[in-house]
Amino acid sequence: MHQNNLIYKGYRLTAKVSRAGGAIQLEAQPSGPVFTASITVVQAGAVQEGGDEYPVPQFAEGGFVYSPREAVHAAILHGREIVDGLTNTPS
């Protein structure tokens, strides 16, 4: 199983993977399941807080991937970009 949590610059990033359903409009349906994800960002020390959930642009624009691992990877990368913006530091 691919890790869906990461501590990055003092923030906990949690990818939430979903199986993409019939909402995706494709010319040809894929032969297997497809996945999307969102990312939750919260300060690492904030145990009781749920954090803020953000859509991943790649998926918000109708994209998808063919494995949960790819969805987690895309979400975590976007979460790192969000944290870099919050902390005004380059990755």
Side-chain angles (χ1 to χ4, degrees), residues 27-74:
E27 290 181 21
Q29 290 296 323
S31 60
V34 293
F35 301 89
T36 63
S38 60
I39 188 76
T40 301
V41 178
V42 65
Q43 288 188 332
V47 177
Q48 299 297 325
E49 293 182 32
D52 296 315
E53 188 171 344
Y54 298 91
V56 177
Q58 168 183 348
F59 303 130
E61 296 169 357
F64 60 88
V65 292
Y66 292 99
S67 75
R69 176 180 291 216
E70 291 174 290
V72 167
H73 181 71

Side-chain angles (χ1 to χ4, degrees), residues 76-89:
I76 294 293
L77 283 178
H78 182 61
R80 290 174 62 147
E81 291 172 357
I82 291 169
V83 170
D84 288 343
L86 291 172
T87 61
N88 294 317
T89 57

